[in-house]
């Protein structure tokens, strides 16, 4: 469900992974292209820079193809991105998750609503924090824009990388509180905590 790999030694013996049992995720399922290592890690790091926007578009299309193989496109009403604080966005001038979400929405022939979610307050960079600190950092950090009515909608939330799942869970919680019927998460890579 959280896109963490389950060791082959456990096989079908587990009904939920340890990560899913330990926290409330607020999303139905997550899908990623690769684990966050090697070429996937390099791609995610490059995606964060504005001169690699074409890479973000290509990666978004690749992600959409995987979602089509899982037949998710029929279960999605709208595609959005994990937001960043407006000041961070102003400094960067570009945000990879938004570029990915637009490319995914286009490839799935679904509407993109990249302003559906907003960041209510400044947060520390998640990559600098420990897992417990990450959850506290993003707790109640996201809101749903007042002009969207998403009651009953099935939402796909897109990000570049899922590490602990804290950011995705916080964003999904805001969507569910606003009435979303279901939220799924898709990202380019999934961190496992060992790299």
């Amino acid at each position: 469900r959280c896109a963490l790999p389950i060791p082959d030694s456990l096989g079908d013996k587990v009904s939920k992974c340890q990560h899913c049992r330990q926290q409330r995720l607020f999303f139905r399922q997550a899908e990623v292209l690769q684990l966050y290592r090697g070429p996937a890690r390099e791609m995610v790091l490059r995606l964060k820079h504005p001169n690699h926007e074409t890479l973000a578009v290509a990666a978004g299309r690749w992600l959409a193809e995987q979602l089509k193989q899982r037949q998710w496109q029929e279960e999605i009403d709208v595609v959005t991105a994990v937001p960043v604080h407006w000041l961070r966005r102003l400094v960067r001038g570009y945000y990879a998750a938004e570029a990915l979400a637009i490319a995914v929405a286009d490839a799935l022939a679904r509407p993109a609503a990249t302003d559906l979610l907003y960041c209510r307050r400044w947060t520390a960079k998640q990559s600098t924090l420990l897992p417990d600190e990450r959850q506290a950092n993003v707790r109640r950090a996201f809101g749903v824009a007042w002009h969207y009515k998403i009651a009953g909608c099935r939402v796909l939330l897109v990000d570049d990388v899922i590490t602990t799942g804290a950011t995705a869970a916080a964003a999904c919680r805001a969507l569910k509180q606003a009435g979303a019927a279901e939220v799924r998460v898709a990202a380019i890579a999934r961190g496992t905590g060992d790299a």
Side-chain angles (χ1 to χ4, degrees), residues 22-39:
Q22 289 177 343
Q23 63 177 309
R24 192 164 176 202
L25 299 175
F26 296 98
F27 54 85
R28 178 177 170 194
Q29 188 175 359
E31 184 71 30
V32 297
L33 292 175
Q34 300 280 316
L35 292 179
Y36 186 67
R37 55 175 69 126

Side-chain angles (χ1 to χ4, degrees), residues 135-152:
Q135 288 181 351
N137 186 45
V138 294
R139 189 173 292 122
R140 294 182 186 82
F142 305 113
V144 174
W146 64 269
H147 58 278
Y148 281 100
K149 306 297 180 224
I150 61 167

Side-chain angles (χ1 to χ4, degrees), residues 8-73:
D8 291 335
S9 61
L10 296 177
D12 295 331
K13 298 175 189 169
V14 291
S15 60
K16 281 187 178 180
C17 79
Q18 184 175 351
H19 182 260
C20 291
R21 284 192 303 254
Q22 289 177 343
Q23 63 177 309
R24 192 164 176 202
L25 299 175
F26 296 98
F27 54 85
R28 178 177 170 194
Q29 188 175 359
E31 184 71 30
V32 297
L33 292 175
Q34 300 280 316
L35 292 179
Y36 186 67
R37 55 175 69 126
R41 181 179 183 275
E42 183 65 31
M43 179 170 44
V44 168
L45 293 175
R46 286 179 187 230
L47 287 174
K48 295 183 182 292
H49 300 285
N51 56 334
H52 291 289
E53 190 168 1
T54 54
L55 178 60
V57 171
R61 289 180 183 153
W62 183 23
L63 183 56
E65 288 306 312
Q66 183 156 322
L67 298 179
K68 285 179 185 178
Q69 289 177 11
R70 303 278 192 265
Q71 299 181 342
W72 280 23
Q73 73 273 19

Side-chain angles (χ1 to χ4, degrees), residues 28-177:
R28 178 177 170 194
Q29 188 175 359
E31 184 71 30
V32 297
L33 292 175
Q34 300 280 316
L35 292 179
Y36 186 67
R37 55 175 69 126
R41 181 179 183 275
E42 183 65 31
M43 179 170 44
V44 168
L45 293 175
R46 286 179 187 230
L47 287 174
K48 295 183 182 292
H49 300 285
N51 56 334
H52 291 289
E53 190 168 1
T54 54
L55 178 60
V57 171
R61 289 180 183 153
W62 183 23
L63 183 56
E65 288 306 312
Q66 183 156 322
L67 298 179
K68 285 179 185 178
Q69 289 177 11
R70 303 278 192 265
Q71 299 181 342
W72 280 23
Q73 73 273 19
E74 299 305 320
E75 299 177 18
I76 296 167
D77 297 317
V78 64
V79 179
T80 192
V82 171
V84 292
H85 191 268
W86 67 268
L87 189 55
R88 187 170 279 142
R89 171 68 185 260
L90 184 67
V91 170
R92 286 185 188 171
Y94 158 83
Y95 187 52
E98 183 176 288
L100 287 167
I102 292 169
V104 167
D106 183 56
L108 295 179
R110 295 292 179 264
T114 56
D115 61 342
L116 172 60
L117 285 167
Y118 65 94
C119 193
R120 293 179 171 161
R121 59 180 168 76
W122 182 264
T123 57
K125 286 184 68 175
Q126 289 286 77
S127 61
T128 66
L129 304 173
L130 297 172
D132 289 344
E133 295 171 329
R134 289 176 185 221
Q135 288 181 351
N137 186 45
V138 294
R139 189 173 292 122
R140 294 182 186 82
F142 305 113
V144 174
W146 64 269
H147 58 278
Y148 281 100
K149 306 297 180 224
I150 61 167
C153 284
R154 298 166 301 176
V155 181
L156 175 64
L157 178 70
V158 177
D159 204 356
D160 54 358
V161 64
I162 300 170
T163 307
T164 63
T167 302
C172 291
R173 180 179 187 162
L175 291 164
K176 294 287 281 184
Q177 288 176 336

